[in-house]
Amino acid sequence: MSQHTVTVQWERRTLTPGRHGYSRAHTLVFDGGAVVPGSSSPSVVRLPYSDPAGVDPEEMFVASLSSCHMLWFLDLAARDGLVVESYLDTAEGEMKTREDGRLWVARVTLQPEVVLAASTPAAAGQLERLHHRAHEECFLANSVKTEVVIRLPA
């Protein structure tokens, strides 16, 4: 169907002697040309071996789910005749330990805040239905076993 390519570039920078004394900083080059600094999370690999300015895989995972949901929501809202002025999501990923002792991203909570144009107000329950449909359509949400929760503002 479609193919998506990311090039991950890393070169050894030894910070201290020994086999684990290397930097986890790297560069992600996306097929559209975006270049993003990457690293392990400082909560997984202590400083100075991780770079807190780099995006870590867990953050990318959460961002991917949030972005996918937003893109579907915007499409579905447009199909419903709504004009979205802004969309803000402060998404959160929660790490937990599985029964076998391995860590995983057990839950991702999306917290979308949508502002519609005054000319296209939503009907009662319409935004909730659109968020539900967006979650059902999101390729990434359909690809993971992590629980993805959508928490809408009250």
Side-chain angles (χ1 to χ4, degrees):
M1 201 164 184
S2 64
Q3 188 171 344
H4 308 275
T5 304
V6 177
T7 301
V8 179
Q9 300 171 330
W10 176 87
E11 291 182 17
R12 183 169 180 82
R13 259 190 317 144
T14 302
L15 300 175
T16 59
R19 61 187 179 131
H20 296 290
Y22 60 91
S23 172
R24 275 49 168 201
H26 55 279
T27 303
L28 305 155
V29 182
F30 293 87
D31 56 10
V35 178
V36 177
S39 179
S40 58
S41 170
S43 67
V44 176
V45 176
R46 65 183 165 85
L47 299 173
Y49 305 106
S50 61
D51 179 0
V55 180
D56 63 64
E58 297 82 9
E59 290 171 321
M60 286 187 275
F61 180 72
V62 173
S64 295
L65 287 165
S66 175
S67 178
C68 185
H69 181 88
M70 179 199 68
L71 292 168
W72 272 106
F73 178 86
L74 293 174
D75 179 67
L76 294 168
R79 290 184 200 187
D80 267 15
L82 299 176
V83 176
V84 178
E85 293 290 348
S86 67
Y87 184 106
L88 174 69
D89 182 13
T90 305
E92 299 175 347
E94 183 180 348
M95 299 283 289
K96 290 194 174 188
T97 304
R98 298 187 323 197
E99 290 179 13
D100 64 4
R102 292 182 173 184
L103 287 174
W104 72 304
V105 180
R107 175 184 297 219
V108 172
T109 301
L110 308 181
Q111 303 177 87
E113 296 178 35
V114 176
V115 175
L116 297 176
S119 61
T120 60
Q126 186 177 14
L127 293 181
E128 290 83 0
R129 285 191 299 276
L130 289 172
H131 279 294
H132 179 76
R133 285 181 55 207
H135 179 67
E136 289 179 334
E137 296 295 334
C138 173
F139 311 135
L140 299 176
N142 288 322
S143 301
V144 299
K145 63 182 178 180
T146 298
E147 179 183 12
V148 180
V149 177
I150 301 162
R151 183 179 301 139
L152 300 175

